[in-house]
Amino acid sequence: MPADLSRKATGESPDSEHGVSGGLRSDAQRNRDRIIRAAHETFTERGTAVPISAIARRAGVGAATLYRRFPTRASLVAAVFDDQLTECAAAFDEALADPDPWRGFCSFVETVCAAQVADRGFTNAFLAQHEETDDGRRQWDRAEPDLARLVQRAKEAGRLRGDFDPSDVLVLLLANNGLAAQPPHIAEPASRRLVAYFLQSVEADRTAPLPPTAPLDLDEIRRSFAGLQ
Amino acid sequence: MPADLSRKATGESPDSEHGVSGGLRSDAQRNRDRIIRAAHETFTERGTAVPISAIARRAGVGAATLYRRFPTRASLVAAVFDDQLTECAAAFDEALADPDPWRGFCSFVETVCAAQVADRGFTNAFLAQHEETDDGRRQWDRAEPDLARLVQRAKEAGRLRGDFDPSDVLVLLLANNGLAAQPPHIAEPASRRLVAYFLQSVEADRTAPLPPTAPLDLDEIRRSFAGLQ
DNA sequence: TGAGAAGTGGACGACTGTTTCCACATGCGA
DNA sequence: TCGCATGTGGAAACAGTCGTCCACTTCTCA
C-alpha cells in the first residue's frame, strides 16, 4: 500500500474534446468539490449508509448531479476518503522506513486504527478501494508483502512474538471497526485502550501460547471485508 | 445479570379471560414458536436488520400475525435470543462461583464473546434487553456490580492487572462485535485470537502502563450501545 | 355442537430511498 | 457575442419495507 493511491474510480469521465481543464467544466468541478465536502461531513457523522439524497441536499445539488459524477456509492466513498487513504499509505511507508522495526510496527497500527475511528466509513473506503477495481486489487497485492515485511522485521528485531501472524493486524482492524461505529467520545478512548492492550500482548516476551487456531488466510479476510457496513 | 432473565418484553398479552393455557390459544402458541424459530435462523444468517416480512414468510405466517405477537423488532429480537441471554447470564453466575477468580474471569469473557460470534444479532438482543424496558434497566443495574466484583476478585487474586477497568470488558465486547459481523469461518477463529491476545495482555505480570486514558464511564458505554447495527 | 372470542393473512396506503429522464441553463472556444 | 457540448435539478417511475385494516377461519368452552 505505497503512498500513491490517487483519484481513481471516482466516476470521472476520461476527458472531453472541448479542452476543459481537468476534463471537467469549471462549474462541474466546483460542484464535485462541494459534493465531496458534503459527503465527507455526512459520512463522518452518520456512516456510509446515509441516503445519497441527503448528501445531495447538503451539497446544494440535485441527486442526478451526484449520480452522474459518482455512479455508485462505493465510488463516492472512495473519492471522499482519498485523503485518508493517502495518509494511511504514507503511514505504511513510514513504518517500513523507521530504523526501529518495533516502533514502526506500533506506529503503523496506531495510525491506521486512529484513522479508522476518526472517520466513520474510513474502513469502507479502504475496502472499496481494495475490492472493486482492478487497480485496487493491484494495490492490495502490493500491500500484502509490505505487511508481511513489517511483521517480519519486527520479529527479527526480537520485539514481536514469533507466533504473530500478519492476519492478526487485520483481525485488529476488524475489531477496531466495531469500536468505530460508536460515537467519537466513546470510540476514541476505547480504541486507544484496545490498541494498547493489543500491542502489549504481541510483544515478544509474552510466552503463553495462543489457542490452536491456524492463522487466518489473509486473502480470505480480504474477500470477507467487502460489504462491511 | 443473574440467570433469571425470562420471557419479558415479548409482546405477550397479559392473559385472557377465556382461560386458554399460557394465555395464548394453542394455534397461536404454535405460530409464535414457528416465528421465533424462523427469526432465529434468519437473524443468525443475515443479522437483525432483515425485513420482518422475510421472517414471516419463512415462518409461514402473515406479517400481521408477526406484528401482533411482536409489535417491535426489538421485542422479537429479545424473544429470539432469550436462550442465549439465559446462557450468558448463567456464565456470569458460574464465573462468580468459580473458586479460581482468574479462571472465572477468563471463562466469562470467552463464553460471552463466543456467544456474540455464534449468533449474529446476539449483541443487539443483549442491548435491547438492557436498554428498552424498565425491566432491562434493572437487570443492568444488577449486572454492573456483578461485573465489578468479577474484576475485583481477579485483581485481588493477583492475576488481573491493577489498572484494568471493568469498562475494558465492554470495550472488548464492542470490538468483538466488529468481528461478529463477518461470516463464521472468519469470525470464529478471529474472535478466539482476539480474546486470547486480550486475556494475555490483561494478566497481572504485564507492567507497561496503559496510555493515559481515563477509564470509560460504564454507564456512558451502556447508553451508547443502543442502535448498534 | 354451536356461539363467540381469539387468531389469521392478504391487501393496501404511507413512507423512504434509488435511479432515470428531459427541458432548461451555463461555461467554453471561436 | 454566438453555437453548442456539457452540465443541471425537478419530477417521476421504480423498488422495498413498514404497519394496519378487515373479512374470514379456527379454537375453546359450555
Side-chain angles (χ1 to χ4, degrees), chain B residues 139-160:
Chain B
Q139 278 168 18
W140 173 267
D141 287 343
R142 266 186 308 188
E144 191 175 322
D146 278 357
L147 177 60
R149 205 145 54 85
L150 191 64
V151 167
Q152 192 54 38
R153 261 169 34 107
K155 279 187 187 174
E156 280 165 5
R159 298 296 305 280
L160 184 61

Side-chain angles (χ1 to χ4, degrees), chain A residues 43-61:
Chain A
F43 284 161
T44 301
E45 288 169 14
R46 303 167 55 188
T48 53
V50 76
I52 293 290
S53 54
I55 297 170
R57 208 176 318 120
R58 186 165 192 159
V61 305

Side-chain angles (χ1 to χ4, degrees), chain A residues 11-190:
Chain A
E12 210 170 81
S13 49
D15 48 12
S16 88
E17 279 115 55
H18 222 76
V20 180
S21 81
L24 224 47
R25 228 169 64 178
S26 65
D27 57 338
Q29 182 64 48
R30 202 160 43 241
N31 275 339
R32 187 181 185 279
D33 293 344
R34 290 167 65 190
I35 289 170
I36 289 194
R37 203 174 326 122
H40 193 171
E41 291 165 8
T42 315
F43 284 161
T44 301
E45 288 169 14
R46 303 167 55 188
T48 53
V50 76
I52 293 290
S53 54
I55 297 170
R57 208 176 318 120
R58 186 165 192 159
V61 305
T65 302
L66 206 160
Y67 273 105
R68 193 174 319 102
R69 213 52 70 208
F70 304 101
T72 67
R73 184 181 298 274
S75 65
L76 176 57
V77 169
V80 164
F81 290 99
D82 190 61
D83 289 349
Q84 279 79 354
L85 247 15
T86 304
E87 195 181 303
C88 168
F92 218 134
D93 288 347
E94 265 174 46
L96 280 170
D98 195 317
D100 179 344
W102 173 245
R103 193 176 58 194
F105 176 82
C106 289
S107 75
F108 173 73
V109 166
E110 284 162 356
T111 302
V112 175
C113 285
Q116 216 177 3
V117 165
D119 270 303
R120 294 180 58 176
F122 166 80
T123 306
N124 287 10
F126 186 80
L127 307 172
Q129 201 74 306
H130 284 148
E131 186 58 29
E132 308 249 315
T133 62
D134 286 350
D135 181 67
R137 180 58 214 246
R138 229 176 304 120
Q139 278 167 20
W140 173 267
D141 286 343
R142 264 186 310 190
E144 191 175 323
D146 278 357
L147 177 61
R149 204 145 54 85
L150 191 63
V151 167
Q152 192 54 37
R153 262 171 32 110
K155 279 187 187 176
E156 279 165 6
R159 299 295 307 277
L160 182 62
R161 57 193 295 165
D163 56 358
F164 187 90
D165 189 87
S167 72
D168 289 334
V169 172
L170 297 188
V171 169
L172 175 65
L173 290 183
L174 279 174
N176 192 64
N177 193 49
L179 301 181
Q182 300 304 309
H185 69 288
I186 299 285
E188 280 165 20

Side-chain angles (χ1 to χ4, degrees), chain B residues 25 31 61-62 64-65 68-69:
Chain B
R25 227 168 64 176
N31 274 340
V61 304
T65 302
R68 192 176 321 103
R69 213 52 70 206

Side-chain angles (χ1 to χ4, degrees), chain B residues 163-179:
Chain B
D163 56 358
F164 187 89
D165 189 86
S167 72
D168 289 335
V169 173
L170 297 188
V171 169
L172 176 64
L173 290 183
L174 278 174
N176 193 62
N177 193 49
L179 302 180

Side-chain angles (χ1 to χ4, degrees), chain A residues 165 167-176 194 198 210-217 220-221 224-225, chain B residues 113-114 116-117 172 175-198:
Chain A
D165 189 87
S167 72
D168 289 334
V169 172
L170 297 188
V171 169
L172 175 65
L173 290 183
L174 279 174
N176 192 64
L194 179 72
F198 181 83
L210 286 177
T213 303
L216 293 163
D217 177 33
E220 183 104 56
I221 300 188
S224 95
F225 260 137
Chain B
C113 285
Q116 216 178 3
V117 165
L172 176 64
N176 193 62
N177 193 49
L179 302 180
Q182 300 305 309
H185 69 287
I186 299 286
E188 280 164 21
S191 173
R192 273 200 298 277
R193 214 157 161 96
L194 179 71
V195 169
Y197 277 138
F198 181 83

